[in-house]
Each structure stands twice: as structure tokens, then as C-alpha cells.
Amino acid sequence: AQSVTQLGSHVSVSEGALVLLRCNYSSSVPPYLFWYVQYPNQGLQLLLKYTTGATLVKGINGFEAEFKKSETSFHLTKPSAHMSDAAEYFCAVTDSWGKLQFGAGTQVVVTP
Amino acid sequence: NAGVTQTPKFQVLKTGQSMTLQCAQDMNHNSMYWYRQDPGMGLRLIYYSASEGTTDKGEVPNGYNVSRLNKREFSLRLESAAPSQTSVYFCASSTLNFLDRGSYTFGSGTRLTVV
């Protein structure tokens, strides 16, 4: 079975500071890993994904994530937070049939 | 714009009432999904349809039924609504391409309140 655990339900960062959102996964098969973002009153949209190959994955809006098999982690980072990054972020893993299993989410607040 | 369309956007039901949430996609995707989102619990899969003509239960199917009407449309029905079904419901779609698995397109959601 597949599962993900997101550490921290709320994260507050200052504008211009590093954004770091933590995600650990459990998977019985080689994982496909994802980060999705949800802006207020909207659906989720794909931020980035890891399938195979390069372990450092770059996504939209300056975000990137690194797959570390030895640590079963897929943490999301952005070097410099912007006010527009305020949103909820979800880490997810697929099973072999393509169904996504989501983490509980991390709400990001950006302060001026 | 191509995407996933959900109707209605908001709904208030009384306990025991029934309703159907509609979802349509024009992405030419084979697979469709219904999730519910509750605070602190992320998104949980209710039902999914891997391809036209098939439906399967997800993690939390009790109290719900689905219909895959055709390739574009996948509806979710609450036969007798309960307060525990107060939630935000999301429909999503994806291709059957193995390399693209997990890359979903989501609708904007239906916010349902059962009183």
C-alpha cells in the first residue's frame, strides 16, 4: 500500500525566505511522487512530479523537489517566497493503477 | 478552455435528501475520479472509473453511488444525505498512459453542506 505523511499542517514564512515543505512516503512499488497546490476556492493543480531518472525535479513557479530513496522523502522547496505562494500544498503518491493517495496538506502563509 | 467542469458549485441539503453532483471533462481522458476534501484529512478517494464502462470503490465509498455516463461524464450521487457528508467534492480526470499516471486535472469543486 502507498501512503504519504506531510510534516506540519501550517507553515509561516516571510516574503523572500526559503520555503521548505516536508513529505515522506511509503510505497510497495517504485513510487511516482507529486506535489499539488490549491489556491483559495480552487481545485488542485499539478506543481511537479517525480517518475524516474533525475532525482531533482523542477516545477512551476520556481518550486523544486528532491527524491531521496534512502530517506523515503520528497521535500518541496522554493528559495524565495512570494506573497502569491500562499496556498495549501499536497504531497501525493500513486499506486500501480494510477490512483493518487494524498497527504493531509500543508497550509502556507506568507508574511510581508 | 479545456478542463473539468463540476456543477453545482455550492449546495445545501437537508438530512435525508438526495442529489447528484455532475462532472464533465473535455480532455479526452479515459479515467475519472471523485474525491472529498475535509480539513486536516487531505483528499480521500470515493469512487473512480478507470475507463468508460467501469467503476470501482475507493477509500470512502459508503453513502455514495456513481455513474460513468459516457467518456466525458462521471456523476456522484448521494441517495440519503447525512451531516457527515458535508465536504468539498472534487472531480478529476487523467489519461490511461502509464507514464502519465497520477497527473490529474481537477475541477473547481462542489461545496456541499448537509444540515
Side-chain angles (χ1 to χ4, degrees):
Chain A
Q2 282 69 37
S3 66
V4 292
T5 301
Q6 292 184 240
L7 302 177
S9 59
H10 288 81
V11 169
S12 182
V13 297
S14 299
E15 192 174 18
L18 172 72
V19 179
L20 170 60
L21 305 183
R22 299 180 187 274
C23 173
N24 289 92
Y25 71 90
S26 172
S27 179
S28 56
V29 298
Y32 276 26
L33 294 160
F34 302 79
W35 279 98
Y36 278 82
V37 60
Q38 184 181 31
Y39 298 104
N41 300 312
Q42 294 186 26
L44 280 70
Q45 63 183 85
L46 182 63
L47 199 55
L48 51 79
K49 69 178 181 180
Y50 168 78
T51 55
T52 59
T55 56
L56 183 63
V57 180
K58 295 186 183 299
I60 61 173
N61 301 335
F63 283 93
E64 63 182 34
E66 187 171 12
F67 171 64
K68 292 187 176 181
K69 185 177 180 179
S70 61
E71 299 177 8
T72 61
S73 69
F74 190 57
H75 302 330
L76 181 72
T77 60
K78 182 175 180 178
S80 177
H82 191 272
M83 297 298 290
S84 61
D85 295 326
E88 190 159 20
Y89 293 80
F90 293 93
C91 183
V93 63
T94 54
D95 65 13
S96 55
W97 297 99
K99 300 194 303 295
L100 279 173
Q101 181 75 36
F102 287 90
T106 299
Q107 185 72 47
V108 172
V109 174
V110 183
T111 57
Chain B
N1 290 336
V4 178
T5 302
Q6 292 184 234
T7 55
K9 293 189 182 303
F10 301 94
Q11 185 71 48
V12 178
L13 289 179
K14 294 182 178 179
T15 298
Q17 286 185 319
S18 62
M19 80 162 294
T20 299
L21 282 64
Q22 306 287 352
C23 175
Q25 53 91 9
D26 57 9
M27 310 284 289
N28 199 34
H29 285 166
N30 294 99
S31 301
M32 297 185 75
Y33 311 84
W34 278 105
Y35 283 87
R36 60 177 289 173
Q37 182 181 20
D38 302 291
M41 304 188 74
L43 281 78
R44 292 179 293 169
L45 183 63
I46 305 171
Y47 270 93
Y48 66 101
S49 172
S51 60
E52 186 178 358
T54 68
T55 61
D56 285 288
K57 296 178 180 180
E59 181 184 355
V60 289
N62 290 345
Y64 306 94
N65 285 300
V66 291
S67 295
R68 183 74 184 266
L69 304 171
N70 48 55
K71 187 173 183 178
R72 291 186 62 247
E73 298 173 285
F74 188 39
S75 62
L76 178 71
R77 183 162 178 82
L78 287 70
E79 291 290 351
S80 178
S84 61
Q85 294 179 303
T86 294
S87 188
V88 182
Y89 292 85
F90 287 99
C91 178
S93 68
S94 69
T95 71
L96 272 178
N97 186 329
F98 187 75
L99 294 177
D100 286 330
R101 69 184 194 271
S103 297
Y104 290 7
T105 300
F106 280 86
S108 58
T110 295
R111 188 173 297 272
L112 176 68
T113 302
V114 183
V115 297

